[in-house]
Amino acid sequence: MGTNLTRREFFSRNITRTATKDKIPAKEDPFFNKYANKTMPFQGARTESGLSLYVGSWTETEVLHLLRRTTFGANKDSVDMLKAMSLTDAVNLLIDNPQFPTSSPINVYDNLYHDPQGCPFGVSWIEWAGSNDSDPMLNAYRINNTFKQWWTGLMINQQTHILEKITLFWANHFSTQTGDFTIDPHMLLFLNGNSNSASAPDENYARELQELFTVGKGPGSAYTEDDVKQAAKILTGWRRQEQPDGFYTTIFNDNEHDVTDKQFSSFYANTVIAGKPGQDGQTETDELLNMILATDEAAKYICRCLYRWFVYYVIDSAAEQNVIAPLADIFRSNNYEIAPVLKALLNSDHFFDLVNRGCIIKSPVDFYMGFCREFKIDLETTYVDVIYSQWDQFWAMCNELGQNPGDPPNVAGWPAYYQEPIFYEAWINSDTIQKRARVMGIYTSTGSMVDGTILKSDSIRFNKQFAHPEDPNEVIANFCKYLLPQPLTEIQIAYLKQSVLLTGQVNDTYWTNAWNDYTANPADPVAKGTILGRLDSLVNYITNMEEYQLY
């Protein structure tokens, strides 16, 4: 692959204006030695920047960084729209007024499994009057052949908005399949809450509520084993109940509820939640959640999770003090609303610090959905079975690389967001990197045939977006800027231009003349073939670079 940098060499370049050298050599630093590369990223340099409003350059580069982190991929239309705004207005656009889906999953599984409940082909099975979830086989087809594909379609066709990215964040955080949080019937079943009773308290739900969902298990989280037991008692009595239409709802069975007082540790300010008989017992759950959220650690834990999703996995002492702690204050003071936290983070000097750009390894969803959106790959819009088949292909590719939206691997979510010491590096191994390269080789050359339609990046259309598509220097600059999160070295740029785009030709006029010949007669197969071959090769090379795996 020519002169590509390794990930670590790449990370060590371009130390930011605010980055500071750590006085302790990276190899001796006890904090950073636990990470996968065994050295502090950026040659021992991180940053002391915080939540001060970013007042630096507001160019395509900064807009692309913001879009890559808040949406899946970034295309020129979105860049142009946000670039014309101020940073604050752009962030507000990305967060405020979400446009929720107007569609729902439909029956496209009928050719595989005839719907015994009578939902016709092409009709939403969620809105179908006779629909219910009492048929396990039918549910499997609905979830695996329509719901996951429908969600994939939402991510591909998302607005210029954070909605789909934050939806995936919460789905990972709560490790949801098709359920919700707290006393949702699916969550009760998933974490044994449905069998939690006064005579036999089950601690699973109470443990995960604290360890995974609210306060975590970091050094500042000091809840005790007895706190888990007391919380389990509070959650006794909740049950899921099937309705006549086949759907499930949540009920509270006061006969199964523990009515004793529950005493918590000093971590929870020695709170006592009084036992309540009868249906009043269900209010103990609200008191439990209020008690947990009153701790400083609850807000900090959620903010750390958001930080690892949107910024970077390393949270050193400077980031903890300058970013996490003030974000947690904002979180609590806004009654645990996420939007103010996200706005503070995305408007911050810290978010735009150069050490925090191009440092996250793309998840499979970011990789494939981002590619699809960067090139605006033409997908079917008329025939619903073909539409779902094409969405299914993108979902299947994500699943092949270890990320199955709608079906996380375990209650903790995907290891890339919690598993020390590797975090994001879990996405890349000798198997998955080859699969990424293989798929990019197909999508950037011959394309992939799905139900009679070829799915392929249109490199000519991509090049036409820019002001001077006939200038090979501009072509390289534009493709690298919009597809890669960090600038390349002069050696890399020269290789892309001379060896890939110009195929060894010395003069820039080779490309200029070829482009002008094509635009003068786009129907000429020879002229088009020359341009298309060079641009496809360029896209194929770039999408197989180490840098393209990052955002």
Side-chain angles (χ1 to χ4, degrees), residues 289-301:
L289 295 176
N290 289 336
M291 178 194 73
I292 293 174
L293 295 177
T295 65
D296 290 342
E297 192 61 22
K300 288 181 179 179
Y301 173 67

Side-chain angles (χ1 to χ4, degrees), residues 40-66:
M40 180 186 286
F42 304 99
Q43 295 182 338
R46 278 298 285 157
T47 177
E48 294 184 354
S49 56
L51 295 184
S52 298
L53 180 65
Y54 173 72
V55 293
S57 301
W58 183 239
T59 67
E60 290 172 304
T61 300
E62 289 71 36
V63 176
L64 282 162
H65 172 63
L66 177 62

Side-chain angles (χ1 to χ4, degrees), residues 7 47 114 129 157 170 226 264 274 380 437 474 537 543:
R7 178 172 180 252
T47 177
H114 182 68
N157 296 311
W170 287 120
D226 194 56
F264 289 86
E380 176 64 50
E474 290 292 312
S537 294
T543 54

Side-chain angles (χ1 to χ4, degrees), residues 136-402:
M137 182 67 73
L138 178 60
N139 284 337
Y141 278 99
R142 285 176 169 178
I143 292 172
N144 294 315
N145 296 90
T146 67
F147 169 74
K148 294 177 180 179
Q149 291 70 21
W150 170 80
W151 189 8
T152 299
L154 292 181
M155 290 188 279
I156 291 174
N157 296 311
Q158 66 189 262
Q159 302 293 317
T160 306
H161 197 276
I162 203 172
L163 177 61
E164 293 305 324
K165 201 67 170 278
I166 200 69
T167 297
L168 189 62
F169 167 81
W170 287 120
N172 174 73
H173 184 79
F174 294 125
S175 194
T176 55
Q177 290 176 294
T178 53
D180 205 337
F181 180 46
T182 313
I183 56 172
D184 179 274
H186 297 284
M187 187 66 86
L188 287 172
L189 184 65
F190 193 44
L191 292 177
N192 302 342
N194 199 55
S195 59
N196 189 12
S197 64
S199 59
D202 190 296
E203 299 170 9
N204 193 21
Y205 199 173
R207 187 179 307 280
E208 307 303 7
L209 171 65
Q210 295 171 84
E211 180 177 318
L212 299 179
F213 302 154
T214 55
V215 294
K217 53 183 179 179
S221 180
Y223 69 90
T224 67
E225 188 66 21
D226 194 56
D227 289 332
V228 173
K229 295 177 180 179
Q230 298 302 310
K233 293 178 182 179
I234 287 176
L235 295 172
T236 54
W238 290 106
R239 296 290 182 269
R240 78 174 201 155
Q241 184 179 69
E242 186 174 3
Q243 301 301 294
D245 60 5
F247 287 97
Y248 287 87
T249 188
T250 300
I251 63 169
F252 183 76
N253 184 342
D254 57 315
N255 292 323
E256 297 289 350
H257 180 63
D258 187 311
V259 297
T260 63
D261 293 348
K262 290 84 178 177
Q263 170 75 58
F264 289 86
S265 71
S266 59
F267 177 70
Y268 292 119
N270 298 309
T271 298
V272 176
I273 295 180
K276 299 175 181 63
Q279 287 297 303
D280 287 341
Q282 60 187 300
T283 64
E284 292 180 39
T285 299
D286 292 335
E287 295 179 47
L288 171 65
L289 295 176
N290 289 336
M291 178 194 73
I292 293 174
L293 295 177
T295 65
D296 290 342
E297 192 61 22
K300 288 181 179 179
Y301 173 67
I302 300 297
C303 289
R304 291 187 198 108
C305 293
L306 289 167
Y307 186 93
R308 288 195 170 107
W309 191 267
F310 289 102
V311 183
Y312 193 41
Y313 70 77
V314 173
I315 302 177
D316 60 9
S317 58
E320 183 72 23
Q321 177 180 344
N322 300 331
V323 181
I324 301 302
L327 280 180
D329 290 341
I330 293 170
F331 201 14
R332 285 191 300 272
S333 63
N334 284 276
N335 196 28
Y336 282 85
E337 288 192 24
I338 293 295
V341 175
L342 291 174
K343 288 182 179 182
L345 180 61
L346 299 177
N347 274 295
S348 73
D349 191 58
H350 187 83
F351 179 78
F352 286 97
D353 204 310
L354 290 180
V355 296
N356 291 325
R357 303 188 198 183
C359 58
I360 296 179
I361 294 177
K362 292 176 181 174
S363 70
V365 170
D366 277 299
F367 188 76
Y368 288 127
M369 309 309 175
F371 174 78
C372 186
R373 288 170 50 74
E374 286 165 348
F375 286 94
K376 300 180 182 177
I377 291 181
D378 295 321
L379 300 178
E380 176 64 50
T381 60
T382 302
Y383 300 103
V384 293
D385 53 341
V386 180
I387 292 172
Y388 273 73
S389 291
Q390 293 179 353
W391 291 344
D392 180 70
Q393 179 158 112
F394 285 97
W395 165 79
M397 292 188 301
C398 293
N399 184 42
E400 184 182 37
L401 294 185

Side-chain angles (χ1 to χ4, degrees), residues 103-119:
S103 66
S104 55
I106 63 176
N107 177 359
V108 292
Y109 50 79
D110 209 49
N111 60 331
L112 300 172
Y113 184 78
H114 182 68
D115 194 324
Q117 296 172 6
C119 180

Side-chain angles (χ1 to χ4, degrees), residues 498-517:
Q498 297 299 142
S499 300
V500 181
L501 187 64
L502 301 185
T503 60
Q505 298 293 322
V506 176
N507 298 320
D508 290 0
T509 53
Y510 166 76
W511 174 260
T512 303
N513 292 336
W515 181 264
N516 289 338
D517 288 346

